[in-house]
Amino acid sequence: MTSVAQHPTPSRRGSLAGRLPSPGFETFGGIFGFVYTFLAGNVLLALANAPLVLCLALVADPITAWPFFLALSVTVPPSLAGLFASFQTLNDDGAAVKPVASFLRGYFGGFRRAAPLGLAAVAVLLFLGVDLAISLSMPAAAVLVPIIVVAAAVTVAVTVTASAGVVLLPEAGLKDLLKAALYLCVQRWYLSIAALVLLGIIASAALLQPVLGVALAPAPLLFVVWSNSAFAFHAALRTS
């Protein structure tokens, strides 16, 4: 008895082909949405922090004038709220994202909470910076310096996480946001370390090449920071 080879019928082949993934308009639209949001976000960040960016470009050695530049960075948390709002819209709307409108909505909508957050962070970091400079000449520097550095790192991590909370929890007060951000930064310490590394890369790029660093680096790296912060907030809300 001869066997007959079984071949898939045209309809069978058609049904299989219909299930194969293929790039289409939605795929390219999603890629365009990311690229557009990142480019617009970098420009809007530079505009929102124009005094800081301009002085970084003009001053040859910003490290020696760190208190001045730290004071200028008071505008950073409100701009982060605007950028994080555009990231949230990108996640919700995909290719239909409007990053400029989303940034402005997040900036002005979260300014009432993000601006005091920036003032508090700058005040704490200035205090810690002065303490660090004094401690370096003290006999107990080996003990004090690590404590001050850790306190500064926690301050930065809490500030960035709370800036994300301004967007994720629009009804929460600033005090509640700070408590939640501190809890999440300690609980998800590995995400805090990752955020600090990414922020360090952004700061290094801005110090070395202010124009190119601000134009290219912040938004893609801050998107990772935002994603981790959103994950931490959502995970905490699910378990609460």
Side-chain angles (χ1 to χ4, degrees):
M1 179 181 294
T2 59
S3 59
V4 179
Q6 297 296 324
H7 297 284
T9 62
S11 60
R12 176 66 174 172
R13 289 197 299 269
S15 63
L16 289 174
R19 290 197 292 267
L20 293 176
S22 59
F25 175 77
E26 292 184 359
T27 301
F28 292 110
I31 295 173
F32 174 78
F34 274 94
V35 173
Y36 180 33
T37 299
F38 290 162
L39 293 176
N42 285 335
V43 172
L44 292 168
L45 273 179
L47 292 175
N49 300 283
L52 176 61
V53 175
L54 180 61
C55 290
L56 282 173
L58 295 178
V59 176
D61 189 7
I63 299 297
T64 58
W66 67 267
F68 172 71
F69 284 94
L70 185 58
L72 289 179
S73 65
V74 71
T75 58
V76 171
S79 67
L80 286 180
L83 184 65
F84 291 160
S86 66
F87 290 159
Q88 186 178 44
T89 305
L90 175 65
N91 180 70
D92 295 339
D93 297 343
V97 67
K98 297 179 180 179
V100 177
S102 302
F103 184 99
L104 295 176
R105 184 166 57 250
Y107 183 90
F108 291 108
F111 189 85
R112 181 177 57 85
R113 291 176 296 164
L117 180 63
L119 288 171
V122 167
V124 172
L125 291 174
L126 279 173
F127 174 78
L128 293 174
V130 172
D131 282 353
L132 179 61
I134 296 174
S135 300
L136 289 174
S137 59
M138 297 176 62
V143 177
L144 294 176
V145 169
I147 295 176
I148 295 173
V149 171
V150 170
V154 171
T155 300
V156 174
V158 169
T159 301
V160 175
T161 305
S163 298
V166 168
V167 176
L168 293 166
L169 304 173
E171 302 300 326
L174 182 58
K175 185 177 180 180
D176 294 332
L177 282 178
L178 287 173
K179 289 181 179 179
L182 179 59
Y183 170 77
L184 292 176
C185 286
V186 175
Q187 183 193 41
R188 309 274 180 174
W189 56 269
Y190 48 93
L191 296 181
S192 300
I193 293 176
L196 290 172
V197 171
L198 295 174
L199 292 172
I201 294 173
I202 295 172
S204 299
L207 288 173
L208 294 174
Q209 292 289 340
V211 177
L212 289 178
V214 173
L216 299 176
L221 299 180
L222 287 172
F223 181 78
V224 179
V225 175
W226 154 258
S227 299
N228 290 339
S229 298
F231 165 77
F233 272 106
H234 291 151
L237 291 174
R238 284 196 301 268
T239 57
S240 61

